[in-house]
PDB file of all heavy atoms in Angstrom:
ATOM      1  N   GLY L  88     123.465   7.604-180.893  1.00  0.00           N
ATOM      2  CA  GLY L  88     124.488   7.555-179.815  1.00  0.00           C
ATOM      3  C   GLY L  88     125.066   6.152-179.718  1.00  0.00           C
ATOM      4  O   GLY L  88     124.398   5.157-180.018  1.00  0.00           O
ATOM      5  N   ASN L  89     126.291   6.066-179.277  1.00  0.00           N
ATOM      6  CA  ASN L  89     127.008   4.796-179.151  1.00  0.00           C
ATOM      7  C   ASN L  89     126.784   4.203-177.764  1.00  0.00           C
ATOM      8  O   ASN L  89     127.452   4.616-176.780  1.00  0.00           O
ATOM      9  CB  ASN L  89     128.487   4.994-179.439  1.00  0.00           C
ATOM     10  CG  ASN L  89     129.220   3.722-179.588  1.00  0.00           C
ATOM     11  OD1 ASN L  89     129.089   2.793-178.834  1.00  0.00           O
ATOM     12  ND2 ASN L  89     130.033   3.625-180.631  1.00  0.00           N
ATOM     13  N   ALA L  90     125.870   3.268-177.646  1.00  0.00           N
ATOM     14  CA  ALA L  90     125.546   2.656-176.381  1.00  0.00           C
ATOM     15  C   ALA L  90     126.705   1.818-175.825  1.00  0.00           C
ATOM     16  O   ALA L  90     126.921   1.773-174.594  1.00  0.00           O
ATOM     17  CB  ALA L  90     124.285   1.780-176.529  1.00  0.00           C
ATOM     18  N   GLU L  91     127.450   1.199-176.700  1.00  0.00           N
ATOM     19  CA  GLU L  91     128.598   0.346-176.288  1.00  0.00           C
ATOM     20  C   GLU L  91     129.619   1.234-175.581  1.00  0.00           C
ATOM     21  O   GLU L  91     130.150   0.851-174.542  1.00  0.00           O
ATOM     22  CB  GLU L  91     129.169  -0.398-177.397  1.00  0.00           C
ATOM     23  CG  GLU L  91     130.296  -1.340-177.023  1.00  0.00           C
ATOM     24  CD  GLU L  91     130.866  -2.091-178.233  1.00  0.00           C
ATOM     25  OE1 GLU L  91     130.493  -1.830-179.383  1.00  0.00           O
ATOM     26  OE2 GLU L  91     131.656  -3.044-177.980  1.00  0.00           O
ATOM     27  N   GLU L  92     129.956   2.351-176.163  1.00  0.00           N
ATOM     28  CA  GLU L  92     130.923   3.270-175.533  1.00  0.00           C
ATOM     29  C   GLU L  92     130.381   3.794-174.247  1.00  0.00           C
ATOM     30  O   GLU L  92     131.155   3.939-173.244  1.00  0.00           O
ATOM     31  CB  GLU L  92     131.280   4.365-176.498  1.00  0.00           C
ATOM     32  CG  GLU L  92     132.069   3.950-177.721  1.00  0.00           C
ATOM     33  CD  GLU L  92     132.470   5.124-178.594  1.00  0.00           C
ATOM     34  OE1 GLU L  92     132.042   6.252-178.295  1.00  0.00           O
ATOM     35  OE2 GLU L  92     133.140   4.877-179.635  1.00  0.00           O
ATOM     36  N   ALA L  93     129.086   4.183-174.172  1.00  0.00           N
ATOM     37  CA  ALA L  93     128.529   4.701-172.930  1.00  0.00           C
ATOM     38  C   ALA L  93     128.559   3.639-171.865  1.00  0.00           C
ATOM     39  O   ALA L  93     128.956   3.917-170.685  1.00  0.00           O
ATOM     40  CB  ALA L  93     127.081   5.110-173.218  1.00  0.00           C
ATOM     41  N   ARG L  94     128.260   2.394-172.137  1.00  0.00           N
ATOM     42  CA  ARG L  94     128.284   1.290-171.158  1.00  0.00           C
ATOM     43  C   ARG L  94     129.715   1.054-170.689  1.00  0.00           C
ATOM     44  O   ARG L  94     129.981   0.932-169.459  1.00  0.00           O
ATOM     45  CB  ARG L  94     127.717   0.011-171.773  1.00  0.00           C
ATOM     46  CG  ARG L  94     127.791  -1.154-170.838  1.00  0.00           C
ATOM     47  CD  ARG L  94     126.940  -0.991-169.594  1.00  0.00           C
ATOM     48  NE  ARG L  94     125.522  -0.926-169.900  1.00  0.00           N
ATOM     49  CZ  ARG L  94     124.607  -0.462-169.017  1.00  0.00           C
ATOM     50  NH1 ARG L  94     124.953  -0.055-167.840  1.00  0.00           N
ATOM     51  NH2 ARG L  94     123.350  -0.401-169.388  1.00  0.00           N
ATOM     52  N   ALA L  95     130.698   1.095-171.586  1.00  0.00           N
ATOM     53  CA  ALA L  95     132.082   0.935-171.141  1.00  0.00           C
ATOM     54  C   ALA L  95     132.546   2.027-170.265  1.00  0.00           C
ATOM     55  O   ALA L  95     133.307   1.790-169.297  1.00  0.00           O
ATOM     56  CB  ALA L  95     132.954   0.833-172.418  1.00  0.00           C
ATOM     57  N   LEU L  96     132.126   3.255-170.484  1.00  0.00           N
ATOM     58  CA  LEU L  96     132.524   4.414-169.676  1.00  0.00           C
ATOM     59  C   LEU L  96     131.837   4.368-168.338  1.00  0.00           C
ATOM     60  O   LEU L  96     132.461   4.654-167.301  1.00  0.00           O
ATOM     61  CB  LEU L  96     132.221   5.690-170.397  1.00  0.00           C
ATOM     62  CG  LEU L  96     132.574   7.002-169.681  1.00  0.00           C
ATOM     63  CD1 LEU L  96     134.086   7.105-169.481  1.00  0.00           C
ATOM     64  CD2 LEU L  96     132.013   8.207-170.434  1.00  0.00           C
ATOM     65  N   LEU L  97     130.549   4.128-168.322  1.00  0.00           N
ATOM     66  CA  LEU L  97     129.729   4.255-167.079  1.00  0.00           C
ATOM     67  C   LEU L  97     129.667   3.029-166.243  1.00  0.00           C
ATOM     68  O   LEU L  97     129.273   3.117-165.075  1.00  0.00           O
ATOM     69  CB  LEU L  97     128.312   4.776-167.439  1.00  0.00           C
ATOM     70  CG  LEU L  97     128.251   6.113-168.173  1.00  0.00           C
ATOM     71  CD1 LEU L  97     126.845   6.401-168.620  1.00  0.00           C
ATOM     72  CD2 LEU L  97     128.763   7.203-167.291  1.00  0.00           C
ATOM     73  N   GLY L  98     129.913   1.878-166.839  1.00  0.00           N
ATOM     74  CA  GLY L  98     129.927   0.646-166.051  1.00  0.00           C
ATOM     75  C   GLY L  98     128.604  -0.105-166.108  1.00  0.00           C
ATOM     76  O   GLY L  98     127.645   0.348-166.772  1.00  0.00           O
ATOM     77  N   PRO L  99     128.540  -1.245-165.479  1.00  0.00           N
ATOM     78  CA  PRO L  99     127.354  -2.198-165.639  1.00  0.00           C
ATOM     79  C   PRO L  99     126.136  -1.808-164.819  1.00  0.00           C
ATOM     80  O   PRO L  99     125.064  -2.354-165.069  1.00  0.00           O
ATOM     81  CB  PRO L  99     127.970  -3.491-165.148  1.00  0.00           C
ATOM     82  CG  PRO L  99     128.979  -3.132-164.148  1.00  0.00           C
ATOM     83  CD  PRO L  99     129.611  -1.860-164.633  1.00  0.00           C
ATOM     84  N   ASP L 100     126.290  -0.912-163.848  1.00  0.00           N
ATOM     85  CA  ASP L 100     125.220  -0.706-162.917  1.00  0.00           C
ATOM     86  C   ASP L 100     124.440   0.550-163.053  1.00  0.00           C
ATOM     87  O   ASP L 100     123.755   1.003-162.112  1.00  0.00           O
ATOM     88  CB  ASP L 100     125.760  -0.815-161.495  1.00  0.00           C
ATOM     89  CG  ASP L 100     126.412  -2.166-161.200  1.00  0.00           C
ATOM     90  OD1 ASP L 100     125.968  -3.159-161.802  1.00  0.00           O
ATOM     91  OD2 ASP L 100     127.371  -2.207-160.426  1.00  0.00           O
TER      92      ASP L 100
END
Side-chain angles (χ1 to χ4, degrees):
N89 191 313
E91 183 178 8
E92 289 183 358
R94 178 62 66 194
L96 178 66
L97 298 174
D100 301 329

